[in-house]
Structure formats: structure tokens, C-alpha cells
């Protein structure tokens, strides 16, 4: 038996076509975006463009006196040992944060994506540091890193018979950057965990079941099923932690102020000091512009690579 | 004619209205900046170290002037550099605000007056009483731009009980200082507390030593630096930094000074765990608060050499107050400054923040702890804090950083001083 279906009325077909255009609805008129664009232009574009202009002047940050200096600030940046040292520190921190924070976040996500009874409590505990202000976390860890033998981490090491491992965690120029990196990772690993957890929730369980029937072990299932399907979560986590690492500021200012010496200075702390401590707003803006372009370039390259990986998966 | 609110509002008209409101709000926000706020009160931002004196002066002035009111807040040193500079840049600075005397900081009198951000106070009578030696701290191009109640001295704040335990007295020469430190160390007391994680603390020992190792021999050292005929690296600064390191090598500092904060060092001296800390008298109140009794603490000039006559002291004008050039309440602010400059108010303010008053009618009332320093001031054996004559805001932070590097073993005295010389030679 053959069933015949009458064609839909013209108005329905027209709406269906429009719906395709608007991804499931009526396409809104373009000028609906105007108020939002105006606000964006006013609070973002205009100040950014005016600010960027300062990079080509010798403005001190206060007063009206300023002269156009062309590319002098950018030339100075190339020969600035302090800025180059800060760039090295920035890259070190970024790599450490991206690798360790995401590695740890993935392990935590795999750990709490199980059937153990306390998984919900553990998720809350691991995520809790994320909702605390970075300044609060920095001051908390500054206390933990107290160099006195009877305080903080050193006291804990002493109590378990590891007194020989006591350190001047923030005062030793060779160790301070590791201490800062650890604090950032401690705070943000829970954030990566939540994103990976969302990815893990989207992996169909029947894939694992059929692989188990085929005799695949835990490692093989992770490698061939979980990891490829986590590609979107990896993209987001790597992107966010890279941008966070490249622009790291709060924890450093609160914990070490870039010291001892210049041991923990990053590009963000250098541009802050140039503007507000040295009174060189023009040069500071040049550093900020270079940082912005650098972050954008790294992000575009990264997202291009990670998106291609997602497609391949 | 019907008002717009009586007509039915179509989509286009609604957008026109929204746009108009947004534009009006924006214009109001951009054009309506007024210095000091619009509530009729004088907006004042002071330095945290001057709180006791400034609050006292404002309260007293308000009691005498019924129509006067103020909105007072305080900033620690680092926030003065950021929040206040941002307000100055935006043209909405408070009516009265803290400014560092002399030059050498982005928030110093010279830097801000050059940018035409400070009101000229030269027509006030008190400006004629500024001692010649201190004019550079208050004046630029012959005009007075700040008021400051007096001089803070720098020396060793010491715990008398710790000294008594070790059976020692305040030293008067460098060798005696080393002997005293050795005796304290043998008794298990940290001789010198150093909180070098707090950047500004790093400079204090050098500031205490340099008057003896540099200025006692070359009183015109600053002029020679400005003329380019002297350098930090080839001066007594090297001697001072070597002595700084000698104190560390002999184990006279607390462990890990680079990881210790100012607050921790203050607590160590207050509780007697440490015997001394090199500090400015302006922080005496904080040290007293950390001690069981304020009488537990004393202060003495920190000796730099073995020749008593060469042991000069650093004495710098404390953070001052200036009237914003853009203030709409400038007259009110200037009248308050004039009140502050009366000798009895200067004296009360100076006493509250443990500094030596700028001037006094008759005998100045000074915190008894500061008495060992008075002969140095009377004999002209005191030099302003070094940064007040540095030409730009980059030398001082460089000094902080190189001292931390020295303490961390990451540079040498020669390398540190060369870096300071490079910062000094950069443009103003």
C-alpha cells in the first residue's frame, strides 16, 4: 500500500527556507545588533585604538605632554633585557601551566568519572579553588610558602621528617617561578577537570562496551576511544590555559611582585611596571600591543591545529 | 502638540529613543568629569604611613569650620602609583592627594609638577620657612607644590630586651655593630630582621650606610651624578653594598630574607625574636603595635664606618600633600594646607607619625626615641633619602631588584651598581 502525503502550504515552505537561513528561526534584521555594536565600539574599540596610539608616543601617563616617537618604543623593546627575560618567564609559565594543568585536569576528570560513591563530593572539592579570587589564593599560598622552618609548607615537611626539603619557596630566584606555577595549577586544574568531565560525559558508553567485548584494555580504550572524542575539550582547555598563561598577572603581583629581582616578571607585570612605576605609558602600551598580537597569533595557530585534530577524530 | 510619550511607540521610534538615551548618557559620562566628586566634601587620598597625622589635622580643621567636610581614604605606597596615577591621567584626581617629595618616583613632586598636575602653593606664607636644605623636596623651579610635616629619619629600630639579654648597647661604629650582632647571634637572637620580599624594604640598609660611605666624603655626590662626573659603581655605594652582603655572609639576617615580608620582620623585632631592623621612623607605630609594650623599642643611627664623625644619617622629608591643579575645590584645599602649616599643627602631625617637624615655635616636640638623631640634623650631618634626587622613576625600582638579586646570589656588587648607573642615565 502506498501512502500519499499532500505538499505543505506555500507559507510553511517559505518559513522553512527562511528557517534554514536563520538556523531554525526567523533571521533577525541586522540593525538589531546596532545597540550592542555601539556599546562594544564605545567601551572596547575606541579605548583600544586610542590606547594603541600611545605606543607611538613618549607619554608618561599623566599630563598633556607627549611627542610622537614613531617606532622607537618597539625598537627599545627588542633590546630590553628585562622584557626579554619576562618573555622567557612568560613562555616557561605558559608551557608549565598548559601541560601540567591540563594533564592533572584530565587525570582528575577520569578519576571522578567513575562510579565511586564520593565522586560528587570530590568534584566539588577539586573545583572549589576555581571560585576563589586569585588574589585570595595568592595570599593563602604566600602564607603556605612562608620560609620560616616552623610555618606553612616548611613546617609540614618538618613534621613528616622531610625537614631537609625545606625551601625559601618565593625568595629563591631559581625556585620562585616554580612556586608561582604550582599555585596557578593548583587553582585552575579543577577548571580543566570540569571541561574534560563534560567531554567524558559525551562519550557514548556503548563504544566502550563493544571495545571491551573485543578484548580492549583500559589503556587501549582510552587511546582509541576516549582521547579522540575528547578533542573538543582539549581544544578549549589548551586555548584557555594558553591565553591565561601568556597574560598571567594577578598571582605574580600578589605573591612576588615579579621578584626576587626579575625572576618571576612576565610581560604583563613588565607592562604594568613600565606604566605605573616607571611612568612610561607609551613604552608600556608598546609592550601591551606586542603581547596582544603575540597572544592572538599563538591562539590562531593553536586553534587551527586543534580544530584540524578534531576533524580528524 | 502631543508629547512623545502620548504617541504610540513604533519599532523605529523605540530605537531612536534608545539611541538618544544612550548617546546622552555617553556624552554626560564623557563630559561630566569633576575633580573631587559632587557631594560638596573635599576628597582626600593620603599615604597610609601619614594616616595618624592627616586624620588628626582634618578632624581638627572640620571642628573649627562648620561648613567643611571631607571624604578621606588612604593608599599603601604601591597603590599610590596605580590608582592615583590612573585618576590623575583621567583628570579626576582627588582635591588633595599624597605626593612624594623631590624626584625619583612616578608620583613625585617633580614629575607631577612638570606635568602641570599640581597647584602652586608659593603664595602661602609658610613656604618662606622651608629650610634651604629641604627646598628641593618641596619646590620645583622656585615654586612650592607640596606640604609635608617634616623629616623622617632612618636608622635601626631595636628591641631593648633583646639587647639586654645579650648584654650589648647600641653601637656607634661599624666594628662595634659587627661585635653587637655576633653577641646577639650567640644568644640565639636574630641580629637583624630583613623583610626583603617587600620591595621598598630592600633599599633601607643601603640608605643607612651610604650617608657614611658616600656623602660624608663627597657631600656634592648628587650634583656630580647629575653632571655625569660620578657613578654608583665607582663610588662609596660599592662599599655600602659590600657591607650589606657582609652582614648576610656573617649570618646576621634572618634565614631567607628574600622570602620574608616587612610584616614578618616587624613581628620578629616586636616579639624579640630579632633584635633590630633598619627602618624609617615613620613606621615606628607599626613596630610598637607588634611589641608587648611600646617602651620595649628604641632607635639609634646605624653606623656605616669606624670613624664616628663620618657616620652621617639619612633624613628625608616624609610623603606630602598636594592640591590637584584641576580641583574645583582648590581654594578650600589650599586653606586646609595653610591650616596644616601652622606650627602647632605641624608639631602635632609630626609627633603622630614619629617624624621631626619641619619647623617649630620654640622647642620642637619630638618622639623621645628620635632624640639620638637630633644632633645629626642640627650639625647638617643628614642627607635626604637618595631617591629624592634621582632623575627618573626607574632607578629606585632597579635598586630594589638588584638588592634582591644580590641577596639571592644572582648578581655581583659591580653588576648591581652598573645596572643602577644604566637606569640613572635613562631619560627623565
Amino acid at each position: 500500500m502506498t501512502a500519499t502525503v499532500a505538499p505543505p502550504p506555500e507559507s510553511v515552505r517559505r518559513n522553512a527556507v527562511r528557517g534554514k537561513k536563520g538556523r531554525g528561526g526567523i533571521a533577525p534584521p541586522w540593525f538589531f545588533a546596532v545597540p550592542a555594536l555601539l556599546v562594544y565600539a564605545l567601551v572596547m574599540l575606541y579605548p583600544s585604538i586610542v590606547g594603541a596610539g600611545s605606543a607611538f608616543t613618549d607619554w608618561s601617563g599623566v599630563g598633556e605632554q607627549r611627542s610622537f616617537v614613531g617606532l622607537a618604543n618597539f625598537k627599545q623593546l627588542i633590546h630590553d633585557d628585562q622584557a626579554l627575560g619576562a618573555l622567557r618567564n612568560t613562555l616557561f609559565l605558559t608551557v608549565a601551566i598548559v601541560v601540567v594543568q591540563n594533564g592533572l585536569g584530565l587525570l582528575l576528570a577520569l578519576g571522578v568519572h567513575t562510579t565511586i560513591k564520593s565522586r560528587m563530593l570530590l568534584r566539588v572539592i577539586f573545583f572549589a579553588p576555581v571560585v576563589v579570587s586569585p588574589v585570595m589564593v595568592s595570599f593563602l599560598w604566600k602564607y603556605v610558602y612562608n620560609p620560616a622552618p616552623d610555618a606553612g609548607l616548611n613546617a609540614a615537611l618538618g613534621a613528616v621528617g622531610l625537614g631537609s626539603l625545606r625551601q625559601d619557596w618565593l625568595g629563591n630566584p631559581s625556585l620562585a617561578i616554580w612556586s608561582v606555577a604550582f599555585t596557578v595549577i593548583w587553582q585552575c586544574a579543577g577548571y580543566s577537570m570540569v571541561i574534560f568531565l563534560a567531554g567524558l560525559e559525551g562519550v557514548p558508553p556503548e563504544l566502550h562496551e563493544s571495545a571491551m567485548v573485543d578484548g580492549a584494555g583500559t589503556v587501549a580504550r582510552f587511546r582509541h576511544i576516549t582521547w579522540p572524542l575528547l578533542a573538543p575539550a582539549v581544544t578549549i582547555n589548551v586555548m584557555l590555559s594558553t591565553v591565561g598563561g601568556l597574560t598571567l598577572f594577578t598571582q605574580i603581583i600578589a605573591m612576588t611582585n615579579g621578584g626576587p629581582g626579575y625572576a618571576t616578571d612576565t610581560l604583563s607585570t613588565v607592562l604594568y611596571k613600565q606604566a605605573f612605576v616607571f611612568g612610561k605609558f607609551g613604552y608600556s602600551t608598546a609592550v601591551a600591543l606586542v603581547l596582544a598580537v603575540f597572544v592572538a597569533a599563538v591562539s590562531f595557530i593553536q586553534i587551527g591545529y586543534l580544530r584540524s585534530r578534531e576533524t580528524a577524530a | 502638540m502631543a508629547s512623545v510619550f502620548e504617541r504610540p511607540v513604533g519599532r523605529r521610534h523605540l530605537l531612536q529613543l534608545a539611541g538618544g538615551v544612550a548617546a546622552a548618557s555617553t556624552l554626560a559620562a564623557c563630559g561630566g568629569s569633576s575633580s573631587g566628586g559632587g557631594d560638596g566634601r573635599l576628597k582626600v587620598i593620603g599615604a597610609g604611613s601619614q594616616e595618624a597625622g592627616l586624620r588628626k589635622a582634618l578632624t581638627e580643621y572640620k571642628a573649627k569650620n562648620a561648613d567643611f567636610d571631607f571624604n578621606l581614604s588612604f593608599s599603601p605606597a604601591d597603590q599610590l602609583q596605580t590608582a592615583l596615577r590612573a585618576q590623575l591621567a583621567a583628570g579626576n584626581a582627588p582635591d588633595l592627594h599624597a605626593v612624594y617629595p623631590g624626584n625619583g618616583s612616578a608620583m613625585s613632586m617633580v614629575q607631577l609638577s612638570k606635568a602641570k598636575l599640581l597647584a602652586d602653593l608659593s603664595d602661602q606664607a609658610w613656604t618662606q620657612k622651608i629650610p634651604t636644605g629641604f627646598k628641593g623636596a618641596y619646590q620645583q623651579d622656585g615654586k612650592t607644590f607640596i606640604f609635608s610635616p617634616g623629616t623622617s629619619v632612618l636608622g635601626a629600630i631595636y628591641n631593648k630586651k633583646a639587647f639586654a639579654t645579650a648584654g650589648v648597647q647600641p653601637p656607634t661604629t661599624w666594628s662595634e655593630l659587627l661585635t653587637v650582632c655576633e653577641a646577639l647571634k650567640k644568644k640565639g637572637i636574630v641580629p637583624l630582621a630583613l623583610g626583603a620580599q617587600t620591595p621598598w624594604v630592600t633599599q633601607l640598609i643601603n640608605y643607612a650606610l651610604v650617608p657614611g660611605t658616600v656623602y660624608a666624603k663627597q657631600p656634592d655626590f648628587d650634583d656630580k651624578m647629575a653632571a655625569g662626573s660620578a657613578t654608583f659603581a665607582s663610588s662609596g655605594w660599592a662599599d655600602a653594598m659590600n657591607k650589606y652582603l657582609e652582614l648576610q655572609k656573617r649570618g646576621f639576617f634572618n634565614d631567607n630574607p628574600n622570602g620574608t615580608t616587612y610584616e614578618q620582620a616587624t613581628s620578629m623585632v616586636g616579639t624579640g625574636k630579632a633584635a633590630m631592623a633598619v627602618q624609617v621612623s615613620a613606621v615606628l607605630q607599626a613596630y610598637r603595635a607588634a611589641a608587648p609594650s611600646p617602651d620595649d623599642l628604641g632607635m639609634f643611627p646605624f653606623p656605616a664606618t669606624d670613624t664616628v664623625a663620618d657616620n652621617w644619617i639619612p633624613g628625608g622629608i616624609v610623603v606630602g600633600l598636594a592640591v590637584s591643579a584641576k580641583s574645583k575645590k582648590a581654594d578650600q584645599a589650599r586653606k586646609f594646607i595653610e591650616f596644616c602649616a601652622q606650627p602647632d599643627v605641624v608639631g602635632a602631625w609630626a609627633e603622630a607619625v614619629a617624624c621631626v617637624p619641619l619647623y617649630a615655635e620654640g622647642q620642637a616636640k619630638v618622639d623621645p626615641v628620635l632624640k639620638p638623631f637630633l644632633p645629626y640634623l642640627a650639625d647638617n650631618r643628614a642627607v635626604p633619602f637618595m631617591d629624592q634626587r634621582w632623575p627618573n622613576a626607574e632607578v629606585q625600582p632597579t635598586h630594589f631588584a638588584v638588592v634582591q638579586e644580590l641577596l639571592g646570589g644572582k648578581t655581583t656588587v659591580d653588576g648591581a651598581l652598573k645596572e643602577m648607573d644604566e637606569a640613572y642615565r635613562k631619560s627623565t
Side-chain angles (χ1 to χ4, degrees), chain A residues 159-176:
Chain A
V160 295
L162 295 173
S164 59
L165 296 180
R166 287 176 181 139
Q167 300 289 338
D168 185 2
W169 303 100
L170 294 174
N172 180 339
S174 305
L175 192 61

Side-chain angles (χ1 to χ4, degrees), chain A:
Chain A
M1 190 178 133
T2 307
T4 55
V5 179
E10 179 63 19
S11 62
V12 173
R13 276 189 278 139
R14 204 169 46 236
N15 280 347
V17 171
R18 290 178 72 175
K20 272 185 190 171
K21 269 188 185 171
R23 296 191 90 189
I26 297 169
W30 64 269
F31 54 80
F32 270 31
V34 169
L37 286 174
L38 271 178
V39 172
Y40 179 77
L42 206 70
V43 302
M44 283 295 296
L45 291 181
Y46 175 70
S48 299
I49 291 165
V50 171
S54 302
F56 304 93
T57 70
D58 61 355
W59 191 37
S60 71
V62 293
E64 305 299 325
Q65 293 170 330
R66 69 181 85 183
S67 313
F68 180 74
V69 296
L71 295 173
N73 287 329
F74 295 92
K75 286 178 188 163
Q76 186 189 338
L77 178 58
I78 294 166
H79 300 104
D80 186 342
D81 290 340
Q82 199 189 338
L84 294 177
L87 176 64
R88 275 194 296 275
N89 290 339
T90 306
L91 293 175
F92 170 82
L93 282 165
T94 305
V95 171
I97 289 167
V98 169
V99 173
V100 183
Q101 179 186 312
N102 290 313
L104 193 61
L106 180 59
L107 287 176
L108 291 174
L110 290 169
V112 297
H113 186 63
T114 55
T115 53
I116 58 167
K117 279 186 179 174
S118 56
R119 63 184 185 281
M120 295 309 288
L121 177 67
L122 288 172
R123 288 177 188 186
V124 171
I125 290 172
F126 294 144
F127 188 70
V130 178
V131 299
V132 182
S133 147
V135 176
M136 288 294 292
V137 167
S138 303
F139 281 110
L140 175 76
W141 276 91
K142 206 170 169 179
Y143 174 78
V144 173
Y145 289 141
N146 189 325
D150 55 351
L153 183 56
N154 282 345
L157 287 170
V160 295
L162 295 173
S164 59
L165 296 180
R166 287 176 181 139
Q167 300 289 338
D168 185 2
W169 303 100
L170 294 174
N172 180 339
S174 305
L175 192 61
I177 199 162
W178 292 92
S179 304
V180 172
F182 184 83
T183 303
V184 176
I185 290 163
W186 177 87
Q187 180 172 27
C188 300
Y191 194 76
S192 299
M193 177 197 77
V194 167
I195 294 170
F196 280 128
L197 204 52
L200 288 172
E201 298 287 352
V203 178
E206 53 270 28
L207 287 180
H208 279 285
E209 286 162 12
S210 58
M212 281 170 77
V213 170
D214 290 342
T218 311
V219 174
R221 278 186 285 121
F222 175 78
R223 191 177 159 198
H224 296 292
I225 298 172
T226 311
W227 181 244
L229 291 176
L230 273 182
V234 172
T235 303
I236 294 168
N237 266 332
V238 170
M239 277 287 299
L240 291 179
S241 52
T242 302
V243 174
L246 290 174
T247 57
L248 192 64
F249 176 79
T250 309
Q251 288 90 339
I252 290 176
I253 285 294
M255 291 174 82
T256 64
N257 196 39
Y262 309 105
T264 57
D265 258 334
T266 60
L267 286 176
S268 298
T269 61
V270 165
L271 77 88
Y272 158 79
K273 287 179 184 175
Q274 289 290 343
F276 294 105
V277 181
F278 298 171
K280 293 186 171 175
F281 203 88
Y283 180 61
S284 161
T285 313
V287 178
L289 265 183
V290 170
L291 178 63
V293 170
F294 184 62
V295 171
V298 170
S299 301
F300 277 121
I301 293 168
Q302 228 174 26
I303 206 161
Y305 170 72
L306 292 169
R307 285 282 184 212
S308 67
R309 190 176 157 272
E310 280 178 37
T311 311

Side-chain angles (χ1 to χ4, degrees), chain A residues 31, chain B residues 2-21:
Chain A
F31 54 80
Chain B
S3 90
V4 289
F5 298 106
E6 290 165 1
R7 289 190 306 218
V9 180
R11 189 165 68 179
R12 179 174 295 180
H13 193 61
L14 182 69
L15 284 172
Q16 282 172 348
L17 273 177
V21 170

